Amino acid sequence: MSKYLVTGGAGYVGGVVAAHLLEAGHEVTVLDNFSTGFGEGVPAGATLIDGRIQDAARYLDPSFDAVLHFAASSQVGESVVNPGKYWDNNVGGTLALLTAMRGAGVRKLVFSSTAATYGEPTEGLLTETSVTAPTNPYGASKLAVDHMIAGECVAHGLAAVSLRYFNVAGAYGEFGERHDPETHLIPLVLQVALGQRESISVFGDDYPTPDGTCVRDYIHVADLAQAHLSALRVAAEGEHLICNLGNGNGFSVREVIETVRKVTGREIPEVVAPRRAGDPAVLVASARTAHERLGWTPTRSDLTGIVTDAWNFARRNHS
Ligand SMILES: NC(=O)c1ccc[n+]([C@@H]2O[C@H](COP(=O)([O-])OP(=O)(O)OC[C@H]3O[C@@H](n4cnc5c(N)ncnc54)[C@H](O)[C@@H]3O)[C@@H](O)[C@H]2O)c1
């Protein structure tokens, strides 16, 4: 059994990973300031600290074996209008966390990085050596953190894995996606199915893709959680390992909407809107490194299963 600090464990992904760690018999402490998280997002059995990563030095001690770092501001649109918040919380907050880890002698880290570090791809499947040219401050702040972590590994022997998630989706039992405002496609389409939203906007239907709409790589949150457990096992002193987490195949916006229609049996009116700036036609991961280094293969990659899990969660939490 190991003892882990999970920052952002009251949020969507952190809550699901914390639940997996507890199920595997580990001890979990969640550190969250509830800026976007929810009390119900913290799994039973975890110790909860209502606090900020900026104050991590107060909470970390040598009894922790590793930190899993999910806490961040992560709304792309907000980052464009309020970039300072992203440098402050994501970069400043992580710098404080890394310093606190060094001070406490906690020398292992798994970090939630993102496909947004790549920006607009110039090639098909994105690999970890693809060009990183983020198109918004959110992606830039996450890339800056990846660089910070790399330096910490070289200079101070940190063992670190950055996992670059593509589009995380689905739910794990009582833990699911609940952002406010919601910006992710699957929960937005489900809001239409629940009558909480009149229609779904399709931002551009003239992209060079089979049906003209953008193609994205959707990864089930439970598959993602398994990769974190593997990352904790393989992290090696002085190494910063970066792994993309995706399925390696994409689904178009229209395919997602059609799947929601089939799963829910509800009507989903759609409205075609202009393209959004900085929205690439296709964003799909090569997950080869995760396969080779983490021994990780996603097992829930079919869209119907992902949407069904998300729908069951959304229906249960619909008030
Ligand atoms: N959801 C996705 O599709 C996706 C894709 C790529 C990367 N990511 C990254 O994964 C991580 C988790 O994403 P999520 O969708 O679960 O987001 P989320 O907003 O649901 O969770 C983030 C959690 O961090 C907490 N938090 C934020 N700032 C904090 C601070 N200073 N101190 C303490 N707690 C703080 C929030 O209260 C929240 O509970 C983020 O780092 C995000 O950038 C998510």
Side-chain angles (χ1 to χ4, degrees):
M1 186 188 85
S2 298
K3 181 175 172 183
Y4 298 122
L5 183 75
V6 176
T7 77
Y12 170 43
V13 184
V16 172
V17 176
H20 279 76
L21 291 170
L22 288 161
E23 280 164 25
H26 300 297
E27 192 180 334
V28 171
T29 298
V30 164
L31 172 62
D32 202 295
N33 68 356
F34 295 95
S35 50
T36 57
F38 301 88
E40 311 89 89
V42 181
T47 302
L48 175 62
I49 300 171
D50 182 350
R52 308 158 68 229
I53 50 171
Q54 286 80 352
D55 302 320
R58 280 194 216 156
Y59 313 117
L60 271 173
D61 64 55
S63 69
F64 286 96
D65 294 291
V67 173
L68 294 101
H69 179 31
F70 302 91
S73 303
S74 60
Q75 305 273 351
V76 169
E78 182 191 52
S79 81
V80 175
V81 293
N82 190 2
K85 175 174 175 181
Y86 284 71
W87 297 114
D88 183 29
N89 200 34
N90 296 356
V91 178
T94 305
L95 183 58
L97 179 67
L98 288 174
T99 307
M101 287 178 67
R102 204 183 319 125
V106 181
R107 305 314 293 140
K108 198 187 281 188
L109 174 73
V110 178
F111 170 61
S112 303
S113 188
T114 167
T117 53
Y118 295 113
E120 301 216 29
T122 50
E123 54 197 305
L125 287 184
L126 284 161
T127 72
E128 294 78 5
T129 54
S130 296
V131 173
T132 44
T135 52
N136 52 65
Y138 164 63
S141 71
K142 287 281 180 173
L143 183 60
V145 171
D146 276 340
H147 287 304
M148 257 163 43
I149 293 171
E152 192 71 15
C153 294
V154 171
H156 303 295
L158 181 71
V161 182
S162 286
L163 299 174
R164 290 196 171 147
Y165 313 162
F166 280 61
N167 293 58
V168 191
Y172 182 65
E174 66 208 88
F175 304 105
E177 189 163 14
R178 215 160 14 141
H179 298 109
D180 184 18
E182 188 57 72
T183 56
H184 294 160
L185 180 62
I186 292 175
L188 283 174
V189 187
L190 291 174
Q191 287 179 0
V192 181
L194 285 168
Q196 296 170 325
R197 180 180 290 273
E198 273 184 16
S199 61
I200 188 74
S201 299
V202 175
F203 295 105
D205 65 351
D206 56 353
Y207 282 95
T209 59
D211 68 14
T213 66
C214 286
V215 170
R216 296 290 180 269
D217 190 331
Y218 294 89
I219 180 82
H220 196 291
V221 68
D223 278 336
L224 200 80
Q226 290 301 340
H228 290 72
L229 272 72
S230 304
L232 287 166
R233 279 193 295 271
V234 308
E237 187 181 328
E239 186 191 16
H240 180 214
L241 173 63
I242 298 180
C243 294
N244 288 341
L245 294 183
N247 280 308
N249 59 48
F251 297 101
S252 73
V253 170
R254 283 238 160 87
E255 283 176 295
V256 170
I257 296 171
E258 200 46 51
T259 305
V260 174
R261 286 189 182 116
K262 280 195 192 120
V263 167
T264 65
R266 311 254 170 119
E267 267 188 47
I268 313 283
E270 57 178 78
V271 175
V272 176
R275 291 182 179 196
R276 291 181 298 196
D279 240 357
V282 179
L283 265 183
V284 179
S286 159
R288 193 168 159 186
T289 306
H291 183 64
E292 288 175 0
R293 294 294 312 274
L294 306 180
W296 178 79
T297 309
T299 58
R300 306 180 194 212
S301 45
D302 81 294
L303 190 57
T304 302
I306 290 175
V307 168
T308 302
D309 288 352
W311 172 233
N312 289 337
F313 173 80
R315 258 195 310 191
R316 257 201 315 276
N317 290 280
H318 172 52
S319 47

